[in-house]
Amino acid sequence: MNDFERLFSRLYPRVKLFAMQLLKREDEAEDVAQNVFAKLWLMPEKWSEDNLDSYVFVMTRNHVLNVIRYHRLHESGG
């Protein structure tokens, strides 16, 4: 198992749960978690940082906020 696979195995369930708690929709939480790890895949220099967990959860929160903004914008007809 490579570094990314270990990282994914360790954090993915927690990231998805965190997104689910904020969005209340499993399908969107799954999309957010997948997008976070797709972005992380492109940043291998981050994989070994001491504060990686915090970094990943901030990425998740920011992505969730973008999803919420998108829904609000489109629900209001904007």
Side-chain angles (χ1 to χ4, degrees):
M1 190 179 294
N2 67 33
D3 289 344
F4 187 80
E5 289 170 334
R6 279 191 291 279
L7 171 69
F8 184 87
S9 295
R10 184 170 64 83
L11 287 179
Y12 184 85
R14 293 170 45 205
V15 166
K16 182 181 171 188
L17 178 62
F18 179 56
M20 177 68 183
Q21 289 170 336
L22 296 172
L23 291 168
K24 310 291 190 236
R25 290 195 49 184
E26 187 170 5
D27 59 333
E28 288 187 340
E30 180 85 24
D31 289 344
V32 166
Q34 289 177 1
N35 287 333
V36 165
F37 281 93
K39 287 181 183 178
L40 201 55
W41 172 256
L42 300 175
M43 299 183 287
E45 69 279 2
K46 298 282 187 193
W47 301 351
S48 61
E49 289 189 10
D50 291 337
N51 62 348
L52 180 62
D53 288 22
S54 297
Y55 185 81
V56 169
F57 283 96
V58 168
M59 286 176 66
T60 304
R61 183 204 62 205
N62 290 343
H63 196 70
V64 164
L65 292 174
N66 288 339
V67 168
I68 292 169
R69 278 188 212 105
Y70 176 85
H71 285 303
R72 286 186 181 155
L73 181 66
H74 287 79
E75 286 173 1
S76 65

